Amino acid sequence: MRRQLEWMQRQVEYLMFSQKYAIKMICKRGEIYEIDWGINLNAEFSNRHYGIVLMDSHENNPLVLIC
C-alpha cells in the first residue's frame, strides 16, 4: 500500500510539473533517462529504472523506444 501511495504522489508531482512548464522533450539515441514504470504485476518491470534511448524521438512524438 505504501508503494502505491508513493507512486501516486510521484504521478501528481509529474502532472503538476508538466502543467507549470510546457516541456517538449527531444530524446536522442544513446541518451540515458530514469524511467518510472509504475506498479506492475508479477515479472513485469516496476518502479524506477534507467533506460537507454534506442531510436530518436521528436517533441511531437509521445513514444520513445528504450531498452
Side-chain angles (χ1 to χ4, degrees):
M1 181 68 147
R2 181 178 174 182
R3 287 187 352 177
Q4 291 173 336
L5 290 174
E6 290 172 352
W7 180 81
M8 288 173 58
Q9 180 182 4
R10 282 196 312 267
Q11 296 305 309
V12 169
E13 290 171 0
Y14 295 152
L15 181 62
M16 289 173 52
F17 186 84
S18 68
Q19 287 179 348
K20 186 175 181 180
Y21 304 100
I23 296 177
K24 294 187 178 181
M25 293 187 65
I26 299 174
C27 299
K28 295 187 180 183
R29 184 176 169 212
E31 293 179 332
I32 299 173
Y33 289 92
E34 183 180 19
I35 300 145
D36 191 339
W37 294 101
I39 299 172
N40 297 314
L41 301 174
N42 298 328
E44 292 181 345
F45 236 22
S46 296
N47 301 316
R48 292 178 173 180
H49 294 281
Y50 290 102
I52 298 174
V53 177
L54 299 178
M55 191 167 68
D56 291 349
S57 176
H58 301 287
E59 62 185 42
N60 296 329
N61 184 5
L63 300 176
V64 179
L65 182 60
I66 58 167
C67 176

